[in-house]
Amino acid sequence: MKSLKNKIFLLFVSILLMVQGIAFWTLYHANKNQEDAEIKNRLTMGITIFTELFDRRLAYLSAFTHIAANDHGVKKVFDNEDIRHLLLSLNNNRQRINTDLAMAISVDGVITGQLQRHFIHSTPSPEIIESANRSTIQAGHELGLQFRYPSWLTSSQQSQIYIIDNVLYQISISPIKSGSKNVGWLAFGFEVNQALANEFKSITHLQTDFILKEQGEFTLTASSKQNVKMSNKEKLVLAKLVNQNITPEQYIATYTTISQFNKRELGVYMYSLRENIVSLLEEQWLQILLLAALTLFASLSGAYLIAASISKPINRLVAHAKKIAAGHFEQKITFTEKNEIGQLANEFNHMQLALAQREEAIIRLANHDLLTDLPNRHRLNEVLSELKNEHFMMVHLNLSRLKDVNATLGYDVGDLVIQTLAIRLQAISQQQHVQLLVHLGADEFILILDTMEINGVSAQVNKALEDVFCFQGISLQLQVRMGIAFYPEHTSDVTRLVQMADTALHHTRNNGSLIQVYQPNLDINSVERLNLINDLRQAIPCNQFELHFQPKLCLYSLKVMHVEALVRWTHPTLGMIPPDNFIPIAEKTGQIEGLTRWVFVAALMQCTEWNKLGLDINISVNISAENLKEPDFYEFVCKMMTIQNIKPQQITLEVTESSVVDDPKSAIKLLGKFKDYGFRISIDDYGTGYSSLAQLKQLPVHELKIDKSFIQRLEHDIDDQIIVRSTIDLAHNMGLKVVAEGIEDEFSLLWLAQYNCELAQGYFISRPKPASELTPWLLNPPKFTKSI
Ligand code: C2E
Ligand code: MG
Ligand code: MG
């Protein structure tokens, strides 16, 4: 009901009904007035005609009576005693105007002659004077009787109502003069009867009843012939009502007094059934009603069609707008009409086009990075959901040193570097294996490739970065780290895959490598990481830490005199957690202080144990960069040394290269103090940080520990051999000893021995072991002489 069509239709219907109602009301009242006027007119006309005709008849009767009274023939027989002659004369005169009553009255007031019309239904008299079809003229029985109203004889009144045996006559009396002498009177009269009533009815079309009123009593004298039968009693009831000015609804009626005499009154009632008068009007009224109904129907149909014709194009526009809202911009809406709707449709099409363009722009913005115009993370997720069933490699790339570029050259240059990298990576992505290149933001990119060839991809990327980036005379070598994960080998959950590639990338930061393939042991997801932060606090009180020791083989003496203490955390539910996963957490949450102190004390205690066994073992303890910032770390270490009574020469402190780079001044000062105390100082993971030779020269250290990433592929990687050789030479030239970690094969061990590396550490020699396992190993070490 709320639709536009219905509303328009309802409006039309209301207007139409209102207009029709007013017209109908006006017509109804006009018709009612016309009906009333018609009725009034009919009654007035009836009475007027009646009065006119009745008066004319009376005048005619008076004139005739007067002429007859002056007739010589009448005068002659009037004095005559012969009654028969008088009656014949009377009849002759009566016949002239066919009166119903003729009377001769003597000068003494005695009725000397009387003729009276009797209708044939009355009992015929023996003295029949004339016989007509329906009536006879007979001698009246008042002959010889005194005239009942002598005053009439001298009255000047034209006519009187005379009653004989309940028959009413309208009579006119005229004196008969003989010279100036009055010799008697002649009277003629017409009967007031049904014939008279019928005559009026035929003229006026109204029922005509003559009623005699006498002392409140009504007597029906004559009544016109009726179409609808009405009893005399009913007629009298109607007459009485009309006389009281009460006309029943179904009638129209009027009354007028004809004559009053001797306390009686003769009146005429003219009436009719209302329906007879207004039937024509009612017929007209019905026609009007029918016409009104027809026009109303036609108007409503027209209104419905108009409403539909207005709402139909609007409905089309609404349907089209819904399509646009649902994002369907292909189909245009067409209207042949050039009216407002047509214009609106055109505007719709323009709007649709603008929306489509805007949506395209929004989609592009939503799916692309503003800086590089490369697909972004959102697009990556879309593509990944489509790639689900294929095998592919995801490479998460991170541009190194962007932070430094931003800090030193400004963000604009940083942006230029990112854009340059994007362009170069795009060049790679033109090649067939690359399915997608995504810029996640800042210095992070993702490559999706349909190859599993890590070396090939790494070579492609490195080749793309070969050319230096130049900005205002400053040359910058672009370098990226790569974290790699395979689908579906690592996981079939693409979201998880992104995390895995990220974890692998993250790991390159920790271990200083440039490329890292995801391994399950790298991974501790963030929830676990959060739990670990809490659980780590309980590790020392709950005795969950344990020290493992990994031997370092002296390549000169082929003896094991050194071990590295490596902490192990056995989590109550997760089991063994690698230090790479919890050491960075401990560093970030301030828990590294307690952890290092625990390791240090445990290492000293183990040292005491071995000393007791006659094993002179030097134990390396890993010191975190955070420990170097502790104000009382030095005091703590010295105090523990005193308590455990261990010679400082038995302890090596391994400090990563990067922890020195962070704050070289204070690090150098503290390490100097440790060196002075008698500890051996070793630079761990050498080669993964960015320490300069100048810094290295200042460091108060005894040895360099070459990171395992350079050692692990020594056999196959000539570059690594060159780096390791020159690092050994450099260290020796600076008076430092060299430790190589990550020796996994014999080749590396021999190679390092050949190039005078002092100490060797790696799985090839021994994996890290708990003291309980390592002690027998130390007491009875395997022979390495064969190898070397
Ligand atoms: P790191 O100080 O460079 O320790 C050497 C790591 O190399 C150890 O891993 C060791 O197990 C591993 N490794 C030794 N030989 C080989 C080999 O032939 N091949 C391979 N692939 N790996 C080898 P781990 O025990 O997982 O320790 C990882 C890192 O965690 C350590 O690197 C060190 O930075 C840190 N860490 C371990 N214990 C402690 C500690 O007590 N305190 C601190 N601050 N850090 C520690
Ligand atoms: Mg170490
Ligand atoms: Mg190391």
Side-chain angles (χ1 to χ4, degrees):
M1 202 59 194
K2 279 179 184 167
S3 74
L4 181 66
K5 186 174 91 179
N6 287 343
K7 279 185 179 171
I8 294 172
F9 182 58
L10 207 68
L11 180 73
F12 273 121
V13 169
S14 317
I15 293 171
L16 278 170
L17 286 180
M18 207 168 76
V19 170
Q20 287 274 27
I22 292 170
F24 195 75
W25 187 82
T26 313
L27 260 174
Y28 175 79
H29 277 272
N31 206 53
K32 191 91 190 122
N33 289 343
Q34 192 186 352
E35 191 181 294
D36 291 346
E38 181 74 9
I39 288 167
K40 201 173 167 191
N41 195 28
R42 280 298 275 285
L43 292 176
T44 314
M45 209 169 72
I47 286 299
T48 308
I49 290 169
F50 174 84
T51 313
E52 182 68 23
L53 288 182
F54 204 80
D55 287 354
R56 205 176 290 173
R57 198 173 89 135
L58 190 61
Y60 182 58
L61 183 69
S62 291
F64 170 73
T65 310
H66 184 73
I67 291 165
N70 288 317
D71 185 79
H72 285 290
V74 173
K75 281 184 187 175
K76 241 168 133 181
V77 290
F78 198 77
D79 292 332
N80 204 324
E81 296 272 306
D82 186 356
I83 185 104
R84 184 166 174 79
H85 273 99
L86 180 62
L87 290 178
L88 280 172
S89 174
L90 269 178
N91 194 38
N92 285 341
N93 279 296
R94 183 201 65 79
Q95 275 178 336
R96 278 197 252 165
I97 59 167
N98 199 21
T99 61
D100 300 311
L101 180 70
M103 281 196 295
I105 301 161
S106 71
V107 75
D108 307 324
V110 176
I111 298 168
T112 52
Q114 189 179 46
L115 288 173
Q116 209 181 340
R117 187 187 300 276
H118 284 277
F119 288 89
I120 48 173
H121 52 77
S122 56
T123 316
S125 156
E127 299 171 83
I128 293 168
I129 303 296
E130 183 195 273
S131 179
N133 279 344
R134 294 167 58 201
S135 61
T136 55
I137 300 296
Q138 296 176 357
H141 56 79
E142 283 185 328
L143 267 175
L145 297 179
Q146 199 70 32
F147 185 63
R148 278 173 281 162
Y149 309 107
S151 60
W152 291 3
L153 301 174
T154 52
S155 160
S156 58
Q157 202 169 324
Q158 259 192 338
S159 76
Q160 305 289 356
I161 297 298
Y162 189 68
I163 303 168
I164 308 169
D165 298 336
N166 290 331
V167 179
L168 254 77
Y169 296 94
Q170 183 187 26
I171 62 166
S172 179
I173 301 169
S174 186
I176 303 167
K177 300 264 184 185
S178 179
S180 58
K181 191 180 163 203
N182 193 4
V183 290
W185 289 272
L186 264 188
F188 289 97
F190 290 120
E191 189 180 332
V192 178
N193 57 12
Q194 189 182 38
L196 184 64
N198 283 344
E199 198 181 321
F200 282 117
K201 184 194 166 188
S202 67
I203 298 165
T204 61
H205 298 288
L206 293 170
Q207 291 293 339
T208 308
D209 287 2
F210 292 103
I211 302 282
L212 188 65
K213 236 178 9 174
E214 191 173 10
Q215 291 171 350
E217 278 297 311
F218 283 68
T219 312
L220 183 67
T221 308
S223 177
S224 58
K225 204 175 171 196
Q226 288 192 317
N227 304 333
V228 181
K229 271 279 169 240
M230 211 173 153
S231 68
N232 285 348
K233 202 174 169 189
E234 286 170 331
K235 288 176 185 172
L236 285 173
V237 169
L238 177 66
K240 278 181 188 170
L241 286 172
V242 174
N243 201 244
Q244 290 164 28
N245 271 336
I246 303 166
T247 308
E249 189 56 33
Q250 69 270 36
Y251 292 102
I252 61 162
T254 187
Y255 168 80
T256 192
T257 306
I258 299 171
S259 174
Q260 284 175 325
F261 59 97
N262 300 338
K263 295 177 185 169
R264 291 173 175 176
E265 185 180 301
L266 178 66
V268 64
Y269 289 90
M270 303 184 91
Y271 61 93
S272 173
L273 277 171
R274 182 180 280 269
E275 64 182 23
N276 295 341
I277 304 301
V278 298
S279 61
L280 191 68
L281 287 174
E282 272 174 3
E283 208 172 293
Q284 282 173 4
W285 183 236
L286 268 177
Q287 282 172 1
I288 288 168
L289 271 182
L290 191 69
L291 204 66
L294 280 173
T295 51
L296 188 65
F297 176 75
S299 308
L300 289 179
S301 306
Y304 183 82
L305 290 175
I306 291 169
S309 72
I310 292 172
S311 63
K312 198 177 161 190
I314 291 175
N315 286 341
R316 270 187 71 195
L317 286 173
V318 169
H320 193 68
K322 281 183 181 164
K323 278 189 189 168
I324 294 174
H328 302 295
F329 300 114
E330 318 79 36
Q331 228 177 332
K332 282 190 166 186
I333 188 163
T334 45
F335 274 97
T336 45
E337 296 94 331
K338 294 274 175 269
N339 55 17
E340 288 84 347
I341 296 285
Q343 288 170 9
L344 191 61
N346 273 342
E347 290 308 313
F348 255 68
N349 289 332
H350 288 145
M351 182 184 78
Q352 185 177 335
L353 191 69
L355 275 175
Q357 287 169 348
R358 222 168 293 167
E359 193 178 87
E360 204 180 301
I362 289 168
I363 289 171
R364 180 151 190 89
L365 273 178
N367 287 321
H368 286 76
D369 181 78
L370 276 179
L371 183 63
T372 57
D373 202 34
L374 285 176
N376 59 11
R377 185 186 291 278
H378 182 255
R379 179 71 191 132
L380 171 72
N381 293 336
E382 278 184 0
V383 172
L384 287 180
S385 60
E386 288 157 17
L387 283 175
K388 248 192 284 212
N389 297 321
E390 299 165 24
H391 284 262
F392 62 89
M393 171 164 71
M394 176 179 284
V395 184
H396 194 159
L397 299 113
N398 178 240
L399 177 65
S400 303
R401 294 192 297 268
L402 180 69
K403 213 172 158 190
D404 295 340
V405 174
N406 283 338
T408 51
L409 300 172
Y411 283 93
D412 290 347
V413 183
D415 285 352
L416 276 176
V417 172
I418 293 169
Q419 282 170 336
T420 308
L421 177 63
I423 290 165
R424 295 196 190 175
L425 292 175
Q426 249 176 324
I428 301 175
S429 71
Q430 308 300 323
Q431 295 170 24
Q432 51 186 5
H433 289 306
V434 178
Q435 296 195 342
L436 184 70
L437 168 63
V438 170
H439 182 198
L440 289 181
D443 51 2
E444 296 195 28
F445 293 81
I446 279 188
L447 274 170
I448 306 275
L449 302 109
D450 59 6
T451 174
M452 301 292 147
E453 262 297 313
I454 300 173
N455 290 338
V457 174
S458 160
Q460 274 183 12
V461 172
N462 289 331
K463 196 158 183 287
L465 303 181
E466 250 172 18
D467 296 341
V468 290
F469 168 80
C470 291
F471 177 76
Q472 293 179 352
I474 300 168
S475 298
L476 205 70
Q477 181 66 57
L478 297 181
Q479 192 190 47
V480 290
R481 295 172 183 278
M482 290 180 258
I484 297 176
F486 292 105
Y487 180 94
E489 285 74 12
H490 286 134
T491 177
S492 53
D493 176 357
V494 287
T495 318
R496 183 81 188 97
L497 189 76
V498 179
Q499 285 175 352
M500 287 173 168
D502 185 46
T503 304
L505 177 67
H506 191 74
H507 198 72
T508 61
R509 288 189 197 113
N510 289 342
N511 65 13
S513 60
L514 292 178
I515 189 159
Q516 175 72 52
V517 178
Y518 171 79
Q519 290 162 19
N521 68 345
L522 303 179
D523 194 35
I524 288 189
N525 68 38
S526 53
V527 179
E528 284 170 334
R529 201 176 287 263
L530 271 179
N531 288 332
L532 283 187
I533 294 174
N534 284 329
D535 297 347
L536 200 55
R537 297 181 208 283
Q538 304 301 317
I540 296 173
C542 295
N543 209 17
Q544 290 166 2
F545 286 137
E546 187 191 7
L547 275 189
H548 283 202
F549 299 90
Q550 189 175 29
K552 296 178 192 172
L553 179 69
C554 173
L555 292 176
Y556 294 133
S557 64
L558 297 181
K559 286 185 180 167
V560 174
M561 303 290 284
H562 295 80
V563 295
E564 182 178 2
L566 296 161
V567 71
R568 297 289 177 258
W569 179 22
T570 311
H571 189 277
T573 54
L574 299 173
M576 187 70 80
I577 296 174
D580 283 337
N581 286 342
F582 68 87
I583 297 289
I585 295 172
E587 286 174 337
K588 278 183 192 125
T589 57
Q591 297 182 69
I592 195 70
E593 180 182 336
L595 189 141
T596 305
R597 293 181 185 206
W598 180 87
V599 170
F600 192 76
V601 173
L604 293 186
M605 285 162 72
Q606 187 56 51
C607 194
T608 310
E609 288 298 312
W610 281 332
N611 284 342
K612 283 181 193 166
L613 292 171
L615 289 169
D616 183 14
I617 300 291
N618 178 289
I619 302 180
S620 298
V621 176
N622 290 288
I623 305 296
S624 163
E626 300 302 311
N627 300 130
L628 300 180
K629 293 173 192 163
E630 292 168 31
D632 62 339
F633 185 62
Y634 175 76
E635 284 72 26
F636 171 80
V637 168
C638 297
K639 194 177 162 193
M640 288 303 124
M641 292 298 285
T642 316
I643 291 171
Q644 292 293 328
N645 196 22
I646 302 284
K647 288 180 282 176
Q649 292 76 15
Q650 278 198 285
I651 301 297
T652 301
L653 301 178
E654 288 190 14
V655 185
T656 56
E657 189 189 357
S658 51
S659 67
V660 179
V661 174
D662 276 354
D663 184 4
K665 253 189 180 172
S666 50
I668 289 166
K669 197 177 162 198
L670 184 60
L671 290 178
K673 278 167 82 178
F674 280 126
K675 190 182 176 187
D676 293 344
Y677 188 87
F679 292 112
R680 282 178 67 81
I681 311 292
S682 177
I683 294 294
D684 200 0
D685 302 342
Y686 183 77
T688 56
Y690 301 102
S691 58
S692 64
L693 274 176
Q695 277 174 338
L696 191 62
K697 205 179 145 205
Q698 288 177 21
L699 284 178
V701 296
H702 299 92
E703 65 180 33
L704 291 186
K705 200 171 173 187
I706 302 174
D707 189 69
K708 57 179 178 283
S709 58
F710 300 100
I711 307 296
Q712 279 164 321
R713 283 174 286 135
L714 261 184
E715 187 177 357
H716 308 287
D717 198 325
I718 305 295
D719 289 346
D720 282 352
Q721 291 182 6
I722 296 168
I723 291 169
V724 174
R725 249 180 86 177
S726 40
T727 306
I728 294 170
D729 289 346
L730 174 78
H732 287 165
N733 288 338
M734 292 174 79
L736 304 175
K737 301 265 189 293
V738 178
V739 184
E741 65 172 17
I743 296 157
E744 295 180 351
D745 49 53
E746 193 174 21
F747 175 87
S748 303
L749 187 70
L750 294 175
W751 192 91
L752 286 162
Q754 187 188 340
Y755 289 99
N756 300 321
C757 177
E758 277 83 7
L759 289 170
Q761 178 184 352
Y763 293 165
F764 184 71
I765 298 154
S766 168
R767 287 189 173 256
K769 290 178 175 151
S772 55
E773 280 181 40
L774 192 70
T775 307
W777 190 93
L778 286 173
L779 289 168
N780 191 15
K783 303 286 179 215
F784 293 100
T785 35
K786 245 191 217 168
S787 307
I788 299 171

